[in-house]
């Protein structure tokens, strides 16, 4: 599966809007949208780490949980998970195990780390999502980064 970035701009902007919404609610600024093969948004989720006190409540894992409990598993390989930011290693693995066929992201993880800075009390696991899914035996297409400036804006002054 392949896809130009222009095709993904609208759902990426929606994911960024969801990230802003998560931030307004006091959560980390991340959002994700699941898109069907026809380009229609099927499901969406935002980060709920602060709300739930669950460190796995990333937008992508929340979306994977929703997708795998509401959609037929056989439909997932034809879907695309569009995220406001490059999925972390945990989220990329969840996307892989769910059988979702494509990941599209806006802000690359290395730019997020530049914005956020290094916090010794909140260490990072730097492992690009391409590397995570490439270690698997089934193909997952990865498209991104895109709309970096728009995606970065929601993170400005959040991580200070």
């Amino acid at each position: 599966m392949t896809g130009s970035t222009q095709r993904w701009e609208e759902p990426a902007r929606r994911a960024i809007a969801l990230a802003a919404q998560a931030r307004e609610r006091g959560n980390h600024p991340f959002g994700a949208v699941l898109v069907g093969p026809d380009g229609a948004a099927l499901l969406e989720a935002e980060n709920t780490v602060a709300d739930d006190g669950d460190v796995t409540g990333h937008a992508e894992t929340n979306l994977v949980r929703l997708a795998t409990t509401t959609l037929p598993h056989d439909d997932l390989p034809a879907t695309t998970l569009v995220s406001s930011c490059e999925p972390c290693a945990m989220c990329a693995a969840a996307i892989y195990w769910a059988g979702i066929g494509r990941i599209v992201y806006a802000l690359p993880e290395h730019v997020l780390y530049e914005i956020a800075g290094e916090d010794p009390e909140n260490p990072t696991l730097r492992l690009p999502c391409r590397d995570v899914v490439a270690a698997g035996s089934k193909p997952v297409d990865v498209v991104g980064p895109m709309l970096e400036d728009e995606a970065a804006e929601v993170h400005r002054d959040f991580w200070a």
Side-chain angles (χ1 to χ4, degrees), residues 71-122:
L71 299 174
H73 186 73
D74 290 345
D75 292 352
L76 294 177
T79 64
T80 299
L81 190 145
V82 181
S83 181
S84 62
C85 190
E86 182 174 357
C88 71
M90 173 186 69
C91 292
I95 294 164
Y96 175 85
W97 288 116
I100 293 169
R102 180 183 292 121
I103 298 169
V104 174
Y105 66 89
L107 189 68
E109 106 178 324
H110 73 275
V111 174
L112 174 64
Y113 293 143
E114 289 170 14
I115 294 169
E118 283 294 333
D119 178 357
E121 294 189 29
N122 200 4

Side-chain angles (χ1 to χ4, degrees), residues 27-99:
N27 288 294
H28 298 162
F30 300 98
V33 178
L34 190 70
V35 178
D38 62 355
L42 302 173
L43 302 167
E44 56 185 41
E46 59 188 58
N47 182 289
T48 59
V49 168
D51 283 349
D52 299 339
D54 177 358
V55 298
T56 68
H58 294 194
E60 300 90 345
T61 53
N62 288 338
L63 189 56
V64 165
R65 284 184 200 104
L66 184 60
T68 58
T69 58
T70 61
L71 299 174
H73 186 73
D74 290 345
D75 292 352
L76 294 177
T79 64
T80 299
L81 190 145
V82 181
S83 181
S84 62
C85 190
E86 182 174 357
C88 71
M90 173 186 69
C91 292
I95 294 164
Y96 175 85
W97 288 116

